[in-house]
Amino acid sequence: MNLDGDVWRRVSMGEGMTPIVSYNGNVFLKMDFMMPTLSFKDRGAATLVSHMKAIGVKKCVQDSSGNAGVAVAAYCARSGIACEIYVPEGTSPNKIAMIEGFGAKAVVVPGTRDHCAEVCRSKVKEEGAYYANHVYNPYFYEGTKAYIYETFEQLKRIPRHIFIELGNGTLFIGAVLALEHLMRSGVIDEFPQLIAVQSENCAPFYETEEQGSSSLVEVTPKPTLAEGIAIGKPARADEVLDMIRRHNVKVITAPEDRILPCREEMSKRGFYVEHTTAAALAAYYRYCEKFGPTEDALLSLCGAGLKSEH
Ligand SMILES: Cc1ncc(COP(=O)(O)O)c(C=O)c1O
C-alpha cells in the first residue's frame, strides 16, 4: 500500500545510486558524498520529507550531529516546510552554514550530542511540533535501506564484508533491514559479515560487546574528530544490540590518532572525505590487524571533506 502516493517525485533530488569504486583491490567505496547535500543522509531525508509533505506537515524540528540536519533542511526547503535544527556545540561550521543556507533555523546547544537531543525533544513536547528526527522516525529508515538495494543492483551481489559507521544507527539499521529483506526474498542466501564502526572515544556498543552486557553500556563521549558517530546513549540501542547479536556483527573502534592520517591517505588518492568517514578506513585497518587481511569489503564514504574543515 502506498499511502503517500507519488509526492516523492516532487521532493526527491536524485539522491542515491552513488557509484561504487575500487579503493585498493580489497576495499570498495560507495561514494555517498555524491548526493545533493553531500552525505548519505539524503536517502532518509528524501523518504521522511516526502511523507511529511504527503500528510501536510508545515513545520518541523529535529536534532542532529550535522549531516542529517543539513539533509532534512534541504528537503524541507524544496518542499516548502519550515524547519528548526538543533545541533551540539562543536558541530562543523560548514554544516551549520548549510542548514542556514537552506533557510532553516540552526540552534546550537551547549554540551554533548545526547544533551542536544534531549533539549530538542523537550521542545517537541512543549510545542507539539513535528519531530522530523532521523533516529526515531521510521520513514527515515525506508530511505537508508536503499544503501543495500543499490549495492546489490550495482554489483549483482553483496560484498562479503560491510563496514558501517555506527552512532545512532540510521545506516546500520537500514542496512540490516534491507539485508534481512534480501535473505527472506531469496535474493541472497548468505548474510555478509557486518562490521560496525565506532569512535574509540565514544564506543557504547563496543563496550557492551566487550563486557558481554545484555543491555547497553552507556558512555560519556570524549572529544573525537568523528563527530558523526559521537553518540553515548543511542536511542535505538536495544534494537541495534539485537541486530548485532542476531547477525554476529563485529564492533570495531577507529583509533583517534589514525583518523587524520587516513583522511590524508584518502585525499592523496582522490577521495576528499569528512573526518567521520576517514574513521571508517581507520577502523578497517584496525580490523585487518585484529582479524587478518580482509578482502571484498565495502565502506560508505558517508560525508564530504568540505564539511569538516576544522
Ligand atoms: C559522516 C557520518 N557518518 C556516519 C554517521 C552515523 O550515522 P548514525 O548516527 O545514524 O549511525 C553520521 C551521522 O550523522 C555521519 O554524519
Side-chain angles (χ1 to χ4, degrees), residues 56 70 73 93 103 138 158 190 210 268:
V70 171
I158 292 294
E190 210 180 325
E210 284 296 289
K268 294 272 153 48

Side-chain angles (χ1 to χ4, degrees), residues 38-41 64-69 95 113 134-135 140-141 144 164-173 197-198 205 226-231 234 240 274-278 280 300-304 307:
L38 316 178
S39 92
F40 77 104
K41 301 278 188 190
S64 161
S65 69
N67 277 331
K95 291 180 183 171
R113 167 74 181 89
H134 53 296
V135 184
F140 203 90
Y141 298 93
T144 57
I164 299 183
E165 291 167 4
L166 174 59
N168 272 307
T170 53
L171 185 57
F172 181 84
I173 293 173
V197 173
Q198 297 230 277
F205 290 107
E227 63 181 4
I229 49 174
I231 314 290
V240 171
E274 70 170 86
H275 297 145
T276 309
T277 293
S300 164
L301 298 193
C302 281
K307 282 185 162 183

Side-chain angles (χ1 to χ4, degrees), residues 97-280:
M98 284 179 84
I99 290 169
E100 291 174 338
F102 291 127
K105 183 174 169 197
V107 182
V108 180
V109 182
T112 63
R113 167 74 181 89
D114 297 303
H115 175 63
C116 172
E118 281 156 19
V119 171
C120 183
R121 273 177 235 140
S122 333
K123 167 103 179 167
V124 169
K125 277 202 191 119
E126 273 161 33
E127 296 190 4
Y130 187 89
Y131 192 31
N133 180 270
H134 53 296
V135 184
Y136 278 88
N137 202 303
Y139 282 88
F140 203 90
Y141 298 93
E142 290 307 308
T144 57
K145 278 158 75 176
Y147 180 73
I148 291 296
Y149 299 141
E150 289 170 28
T151 300
F152 185 80
E153 234 176 290
Q154 290 167 311
L155 301 179
K156 313 286 179 240
R157 65 185 188 87
I158 292 294
R160 290 215 316 274
H161 303 92
I162 302 187
F163 286 74
I164 299 183
E165 291 167 4
L166 174 59
N168 272 307
T170 53
L171 185 57
F172 181 84
I173 293 173
V176 171
L177 292 175
L179 286 164
E180 287 176 345
H181 181 198
L182 294 186
M183 286 286 286
R184 258 197 329 275
S185 324
V187 174
I188 56 172
D189 50 21
E190 210 180 325
F191 209 86
Q193 176 65 61
L194 290 187
I195 299 107
V197 173
Q198 297 230 277
S199 152
E200 180 180 57
N201 286 357
C202 181
F205 290 107
Y206 179 81
E207 289 303 333
T208 305
E209 287 301 89
E210 284 296 289
Q211 296 180 25
S213 167
S214 56
S215 56
L216 187 86
V217 176
E218 292 182 357
V219 302
T220 304
K222 288 193 238 133
T224 171
L225 286 169
E227 63 181 4
I229 49 174
I231 314 290
K233 299 179 204 157
R236 288 184 179 257
D238 289 346
E239 190 177 344
V240 171
L241 266 182
D242 197 49
M243 287 174 164
I244 288 177
R245 292 182 178 162
R246 196 154 73 233
H247 296 297
N248 295 317
V249 174
K250 291 202 165 79
V251 186
I252 192 101
T253 55
E256 194 66 21
D257 62 356
R258 291 214 206 152
I259 294 178
L260 288 179
C262 279
R263 192 185 197 224
E264 198 182 325
E265 178 194 305
M266 294 177 100
S267 304
K268 294 272 153 48
R269 297 189 192 184
F271 303 95
Y272 198 62
V273 298
E274 70 170 86
H275 297 145
T276 309
T277 293

